[in-house]
C-alpha cells in the first residue's frame, strides 16, 4: 500500500538506542571498570553491524536490477560508515570529552559538594539526548558532500 512507511527496526524503534550503549559506558567511565566501558562499545558495534547486514539484505531483496549485488554492497557500506560515525565514534568521543571536562572542573573546585563522583556521569547521561540529532544531521550532511558524492551513491530512506 502506498503511503505506509515501513518501520525500520534499527532506525525507527527503541533498538536504535543500542547504538548509543557506548555513550552510556562513557558517562559511567569514571565509576565503573574499563571492561564495562569496553562492553558498551561491543554492544554499540554489534548494533552497527546488525543494521549494516539488515540494510544490505533489504536492498538486495528489493532490487531487481542486474546491479543489485553492487547496490546492496553500496548500501551496506553507507550504513556501516554512517552508523559508525553517528552512533559510535562521534557520540562516544563527545560524551567522553564532556565527562572529562566536568572532572577537570571538579578537580579545580573548592566546593566539596561539586566533587561528587556521580556528577560527571549525570551530566554525561543528560547530554546524550541533546547530542543525538545534531550529530546524526552532521554525519548525514558530511557524508552527502564527501563519501556519497565521491561514489555516486545516495541511499533512499523508506
Amino acid at each position: 500500500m502506498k503511503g505506509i512507511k515501513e518501520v525500520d527496526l534499527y532506525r525507527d524503534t527503541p533498538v536504535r538506542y543500542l547504538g548509543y550503549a557506548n555513550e552510556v559506558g562513557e558517562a559511567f567511565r569514571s565509576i565503573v571498570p574499563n571492561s564495562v566501558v569496553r562492553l558498551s562499545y561491543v554492544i554499540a558495534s554489534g548494533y552497527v553491524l546488525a543494521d549494516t547486514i539488515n540494510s544490505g539484505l533489504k536492498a538486495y531483496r528489493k532490487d531487481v536490477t542486474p546491479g543489485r549485488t553492487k547496490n546492496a554492497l553500496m548500501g551496506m557500506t553507507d550504513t556501516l560508515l554512517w552508523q559508525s560515525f553517528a552512533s559510535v565514534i562521534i557520540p562516544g568521543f563527545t560524551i567522553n570529552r564532556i565527562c572529562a571536562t566536568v572532572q577537570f572542573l571538579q578537580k579545580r573546585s573548592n566546593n566539596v559538594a561539586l566533587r561528587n563522583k556521580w556528577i560527571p556521569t549525570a551530566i554525561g547521561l543528560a547530554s546524550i539526548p541533546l547530542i543525538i540529532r545534531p550529530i546524526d544531521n552532521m554525519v548525514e550532511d558530511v557524508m552527502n558532500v564527501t563519501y556519497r558524492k565521491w561514489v555516486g551513491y545516495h541511499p533512499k530512506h523508506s
Side-chain angles (χ1 to χ4, degrees), residues 99-110 114-115:
C99 292
T101 300
V102 171
Q103 289 174 312
F104 175 81
L105 295 172
Q106 282 181 308
K107 288 177 185 171
R108 276 137 189 85
S109 172
N110 292 327
L114 293 179
R115 291 185 175 198

Side-chain angles (χ1 to χ4, degrees), residues 79-125:
T79 299
L80 180 64
L81 285 171
W82 190 90
Q83 286 287 15
S84 294
F85 282 101
S87 297
V88 181
I89 298 168
I90 297 171
F93 177 78
T94 302
I95 297 300
N96 177 284
R97 295 296 82 204
I98 289 170
C99 292
T101 300
V102 171
Q103 289 174 312
F104 175 81
L105 295 172
Q106 282 181 308
K107 288 177 185 171
R108 276 137 189 85
S109 172
N110 292 327
N111 187 332
V112 176
L114 293 179
R115 291 185 175 198
N116 184 309
K117 69 179 181 179
W118 284 93
I119 291 175
T121 298
I123 291 173
L125 290 172

Side-chain angles (χ1 to χ4, degrees), residues 3-65:
I4 296 177
K5 183 180 183 256
E6 178 184 342
V7 174
D8 185 330
L9 174 68
Y10 295 95
R11 307 258 175 127
D12 303 325
T13 71
V15 170
R16 172 78 171 106
Y17 297 113
L18 289 174
Y20 296 104
N22 63 305
E23 283 82 303
V24 174
E26 286 295 346
F28 279 91
R29 181 181 283 281
S30 65
I31 57 176
V32 299
N34 280 338
S35 59
V36 173
V37 178
R38 283 192 292 273
L39 177 61
S40 73
Y41 275 88
V42 169
I43 292 167
S45 297
Y47 161 81
V48 168
L49 290 175
D51 187 24
T52 299
I53 292 166
N54 182 63
S55 75
L57 289 173
K58 259 194 330 192
Y60 187 81
R61 288 181 189 129
K62 286 181 181 179
D63 194 339
V64 294
T65 67

Side-chain angles (χ1 to χ4, degrees), residues 21 76-77 139-140 145 155-156:
M76 289 175 71
T77 304
V139 171
E140 189 75 23
V145 299
K156 295 171 189 82

